[in-house]
Amino acid sequence: MEEQLETARAAASGPRPCSTRSSARLSILATIATSAPFIGLFGTIFGIINAFRGMQLTGSGGIGAVAGGIAEALVTTAVGIGVAVLALWVFNTLNSRIEVFDAEMDNTQSQVVDFFLKTGETR
């Protein structure tokens, strides 16, 4: 009986495959959330470059020459921020669910080990 308890304790103290896989996949979301604004920033830079090209082609700085580039810059910035906010929200939601799951698994593990300890003591 003591050997079985030691085996149960050793198995319970090891890493949980489900939690480990979920945490590894969450790192992808974290990477997206942190890099998306920078990708939007690259789009902003290219939009401004296109605005300057429009100015160069027309020879003036009128609104018609720069409007397309500025619109491109604003759209890419908004998309980058939108993707980052969405990815961060999903990351936080899933991370909190994993933490709750881990806490429930720890509690269940303690209850099972306590049950076997009490059962072993009564025999």
Side-chain angles (χ1 to χ4, degrees):
M1 180 67 166
E2 193 64 35
E3 183 180 315
Q4 292 171 340
L5 285 174
E6 289 302 318
T7 303
R9 284 186 186 131
S13 65
R16 293 184 193 92
C18 179
S19 177
T20 304
R21 281 187 306 218
S22 300
S23 296
R25 291 179 180 150
L26 278 180
S27 67
I28 295 170
L29 275 176
T31 302
I32 291 170
T34 56
S35 64
F38 295 111
I39 294 169
L41 182 62
F42 286 136
T44 302
I45 292 168
F46 290 128
I48 298 300
I49 289 172
N50 286 338
F52 285 130
R53 281 189 189 145
M55 287 172 52
Q56 180 185 16
L57 291 175
T58 61
S60 69
I63 191 71
V66 296
I70 292 175
E72 181 182 339
L74 292 174
V75 167
T76 56
T77 302
V79 169
I81 291 172
V83 167
V85 168
L86 182 63
L88 187 60
W89 177 75
V90 171
F91 173 82
N92 287 333
T93 301
L94 293 177
N95 194 33
S96 65
R97 287 185 182 180
I98 289 172
E99 288 176 0
V100 167
F101 177 74
D102 280 346
E104 289 176 359
M105 290 297 291
D106 286 338
N107 291 338
T108 303
Q109 165 196 330
S110 296
Q111 290 173 355
V112 168
V113 170
D114 289 344
F115 172 77
F116 284 119
L117 285 174
K118 289 177 185 175
T119 305
E121 290 174 0
T122 58
R123 288 186 179 180

